[in-house]
């Protein structure tokens, strides 16, 4: 991947041959969206998919930007929240894209967080067997993670993201100024994914975050740097392993536990949002690695301390309400898609920035570990 | 593509790099399915998707074949008919695949005609963002056309096949003996697609069919030759243009009119099945080409005569019941996905075996032509 400074945006190229695309990271990119899109898709029309919350803040701004660049647009507005990642809402979005009479060379734009991006990308991937897709992620989590890499999908009663397609965007516009309207809780949730890149294989980035996280939260240059670093890391992994057959699995650090916890609370975002599940999951992955004699207690404590510092939950007991028993949690883990022929696959670690894929983790070890954690 | 004789099956390779796959064509391949699958996917489990009609004939035979090769299988049975290509049935199939706890390396098998193949391929393409997929087509139409090439999908109220993905099978088993249980009407419908390959660019194959079609209908060597020739033709086009950006569009000869007619009768298969729509559509495409001074009247008459000989419908008036007015039919054509920026794309022809893609056909010409046809 390549990264270079533009007038007022960083540019990261996701290198996928003839399906390569740009991620632009900078202030006020929503206002520049029309220009960037019209340059890349001359003559195209657009359908914008957003949710009620984001639409009330940025839809008019985006449509004005598109209109002034000559791009005609239709808007499709969904309810906010994880429950929108359902078959029912997929049907609605697909039907409204068809109702807008978009043709194969027109574009579908996701304006929103991870839920809108995942749902919209899936819809764009299946209408006419694949339409051009532009991501305008409006949460930190979507900017540093879900908007890049082409994973799209919806949830099933049997698990999160079990249904979807790989459908790469043709452009990602990460407008760092829209993050000013995020709640502190949502910003922190996205920060968990940012910290993840440090924990996977960039110890120096994790150390930088430990020293500068308050500036990242405050906005400006440190925020842009954290987002661009995250996007570069993700772009490199995606370019190396688009379909998650190998190295891309590292991006799931904290996610096996995290997804199971999200399922365990019934995807109730008042109790746990995705990034919070990942934060607890990353701490658990480090503690589990300690238990398996892979990592040091000090490293696990350091990870927990930093995530707790920024205000993220780090323990099972930080989740409000009762959790189902450990064996039920293990069932959620077993149904998670990162299972191959009954063996449990986990991302484990030898310490900060030294994560690796472990394919033969015995379920019994996981269960013992979880029972221990429930006791604390 | 490569074609070679096996002990008792032809083999056609669809050359798509590391996603290449075999089409085997021969008698009693359902009985050999277990062996062929176990060799290619050691240790995998399977979900078989079929419809009530086909399942009553071949499901037990297939499951026995799988079981004797050590492949554990679950069965998912859909109602027969085009209406099964719906979001509702997609949801059911996806959910039952997940309920069977298949993992990413397991396989989903379509046992049935085009409807089951299209629906199952779509489901296999979206469960866990893509599972292995095996086609066991049980109609002539599916064997010579829909089972090869990776196009999957469902219908929308706004048009046929508007929702789907490209998801290549990993193996296609075309058992020529199962065609003995097809109704004459269904066999004829599939024959329309067989004749299409001659009309696209193989005039000698069309001439062979004119002389040998009764043997093709009777079974045995002529049938196998017709199917293998069709599969080779389709495999070559798919290998050259997997995503239908160019040459693959030729496979739509007769389909733009045909799809519009299917939509016009509300996908009522008692009035018109897909292959019948294609037969009428191919005749119309030749007649329209005559009107545009591209092809000779003799060629158009020759095509109509052969398709009428085998018992296929060739005129609008062959469709039982009333059709909507020509402008409504034109609307169906405009909503068809082979429209680019408002221009109508048609497959036209200079004569038998000389088809080509025309991208700028004026809608007004099509409407005049249709009005003329309605008058006949």
């Amino acid at each position: 991947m390549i990264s270079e400074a533009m007038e007022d945006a960083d540019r990261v190229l996701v290198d996928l041959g003839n399906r390569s695309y740009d991620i632009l990271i900078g202030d006020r990119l929503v206002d520049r969206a029309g220009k960037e899109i019209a340059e890349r898709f001359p003559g195209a029309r657009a359908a914008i998919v957003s949710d009620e919350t984001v639409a009330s803040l940025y839809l008019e701004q985006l449509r004005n930007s598109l209109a002034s660049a000559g791009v005609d647009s239709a808007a499709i507005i969904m309810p906010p929240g994880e429950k929108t990642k359902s078959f029912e809402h997929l049907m609605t979005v697909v039907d409204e894209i068809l109702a807008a009479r978009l043709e194969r060379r027109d574009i579908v734009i996701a304006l929103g967080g991870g839920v809108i991006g995942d749902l919209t990308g899936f819809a764009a991937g299946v209408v006419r067997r694949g339409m051009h897709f532009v991501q305008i992620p409006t949460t930190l989590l979507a900017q540093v993670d879900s908007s890049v890499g082409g994973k799209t999908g919806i949830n099933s009663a049997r698990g999160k993201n079990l249904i979807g397609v790989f459908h790469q965007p043709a452009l990602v516009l990460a407008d760092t100024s829209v993050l000013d309207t995020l709640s502190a809780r949502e910003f922190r949730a996205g920060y968990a994914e940012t910290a993840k890149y440090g924990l996977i294989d960039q110890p120096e980035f994790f150390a930088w975050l430990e020293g500068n996280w308050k500036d990242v939260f405050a906005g400006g240059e440190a925020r842009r740097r954290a987002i661009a670093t995250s996007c570069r890391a993700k772009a490199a992994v995606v370019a190396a392993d688009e379909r998650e057959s190998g190295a891309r699995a590292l991006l799931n650090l904290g996610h096996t536990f995290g997804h199971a916890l999200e399922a365990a609370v019934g995807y109730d975002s008042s109790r746990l949002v995705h990034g919070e599940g990942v934060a607890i999951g990353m701490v658990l992955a480090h503690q589990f690695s300690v238990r398996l004699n892979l990592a040091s207690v000090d490293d696990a404590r350091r990870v927990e301390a930093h995530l707790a510092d920024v205000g993220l939950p780090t323990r099972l007991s930080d989740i409000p309400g009762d959790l189902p028993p450990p064996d039920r949690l293990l069932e959620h883990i077993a149904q998670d898609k990162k299972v191959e022929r009954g063996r449990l696959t986990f991302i484990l670690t030898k310490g900060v920035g030294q994560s690796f894929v472990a394919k033969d983790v015995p379920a019994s070890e996981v269960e013992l570990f979880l029972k221990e954690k429930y006791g604390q």
Side-chain angles (χ1 to χ4, degrees), chain A:
Chain A
M1 98 258 78
I2 297 164
S3 175
E4 61 185 49
M6 295 176 64
E7 5 163 5
D8 50 2
D10 284 324
R11 173 176 169 266
V12 175
L13 179 75
V14 184
D15 186 358
L16 291 166
N18 61 4
R19 293 173 298 113
S20 295
Y21 56 92
D22 285 333
I23 310 166
L24 304 184
I25 303 124
D27 275 0
R28 319 231 21 106
L29 282 177
V30 170
D31 289 333
R32 237 169 65 189
K35 177 176 166 292
E36 298 292 343
I37 287 169
E39 269 175 26
R40 286 169 175 83
F41 309 96
R45 296 166 60 233
I48 303 163
V49 183
S50 192
D51 70 30
E52 287 150 14
T53 312
V54 175
S56 70
L57 292 166
Y58 301 112
L59 180 62
E60 198 184 338
Q61 195 180 334
L62 176 59
R63 295 191 79 174
N64 287 343
S65 167
L66 290 167
S68 65
V71 181
D72 183 31
S73 68
I76 301 169
I77 310 303
M78 296 283 106
E82 184 78 25
K83 288 195 165 53
T84 298
K85 284 176 66 170
S86 70
F87 247 121
E88 186 197 343
H89 290 100
L90 176 72
M91 266 180 69
T92 304
V93 172
V94 162
D95 194 59
E96 294 201 21
I97 292 170
L98 289 171
R101 298 205 161 223
L102 289 206
E103 299 172 4
R104 219 190 245 178
R105 297 190 178 179
D106 292 329
I107 55 173
V108 178
I109 301 173
L111 174 71
V115 167
I116 288 297
D118 286 0
L119 176 73
T120 307
F122 192 8
V126 302
V127 172
R128 299 172 189 278
R129 299 200 187 93
M131 297 188 58
H132 296 307
F133 171 43
V134 171
Q135 287 267 24
I136 306 184
T138 58
T139 65
L140 178 57
L141 186 133
Q143 292 189 357
V144 300
D145 182 28
S146 58
S147 70
V148 174
K151 275 198 186 181
T152 75
I154 56 176
N155 300 324
S156 153
R158 301 178 193 279
K160 200 169 148 66
N161 294 318
L162 286 175
I163 310 163
V165 292
F166 283 95
H167 186 58
Q168 296 290 342
L171 177 67
V172 180
L173 300 175
D175 183 334
T176 49
S177 47
V178 303
L179 304 184
D180 291 337
T181 52
L182 283 188
S183 70
R185 186 181 173 202
E186 266 194 295
F187 195 92
R188 284 194 298 264
Y191 183 87
E193 297 277 2
T194 306
K196 184 186 74 175
Y197 296 106
L199 294 175
I200 290 173
D201 60 359
Q202 297 188 60
E204 69 294 343
F205 180 49
F206 189 77
W208 180 83
L209 287 172
E210 286 177 310
N212 297 275
W213 67 269
K214 286 180 184 166
D215 293 334
V216 174
F217 277 63
E221 188 47 36
R223 179 188 289 175
R224 185 162 130 179
R225 176 171 166 184
I227 295 172
T229 303
S230 300
C231 288
R232 261 194 302 281
K234 175 124 193 198
V237 174
V238 168
D241 178 22
E242 186 182 357
R243 296 254 167 173
E244 197 170 10
S245 47
R248 185 159 173 171
L250 284 173
L251 296 174
N252 290 318
L253 176 62
H255 282 59
T256 302
F257 286 125
H259 285 163
L261 291 170
E262 285 185 271
V265 302
Y267 302 108
D268 177 351
S269 62
S270 72
R271 296 176 64 191
L272 192 75
V273 294
H274 177 68
E276 292 169 342
V278 170
I280 299 173
M282 291 193 299
V283 173
L284 290 176
H286 280 76
Q287 290 170 340
F288 187 44
S289 299
V290 172
R291 188 189 161 88
L292 298 172
N293 292 316
L294 295 162
S296 77
V297 176
D298 284 352
D299 272 339
R301 285 190 182 142
R302 182 179 161 200
V303 173
E304 184 174 4
H306 177 54
L307 296 177
D309 266 358
V310 309
L312 279 162
T314 57
R315 298 163 186 234
L316 297 180
S317 57
D318 289 340
I319 302 171
D322 290 333
L323 287 178
D327 54 334
R328 185 85 189 87
L329 211 55
L330 194 68
E331 256 178 60
H332 284 300
I333 290 174
Q335 178 60 17
D336 194 82
K337 66 191 172 310
K338 286 168 287 300
V339 175
E340 291 184 5
R341 309 258 160 98
R343 297 166 303 177
L344 296 184
T345 296
F346 266 86
I347 312 306
L348 298 177
T349 184
K350 292 173 188 163
V352 168
Q354 299 178 69
S355 298
F356 65 97
V357 183
K359 294 214 170 193
D360 286 290
V361 178
S364 55
E365 280 291 334
V366 182
E367 195 170 3
L368 281 172
F369 169 71
L370 284 173
K371 282 182 176 157
E372 211 177 276
K373 285 288 132 191
Y374 269 69
Q376 287 172 5

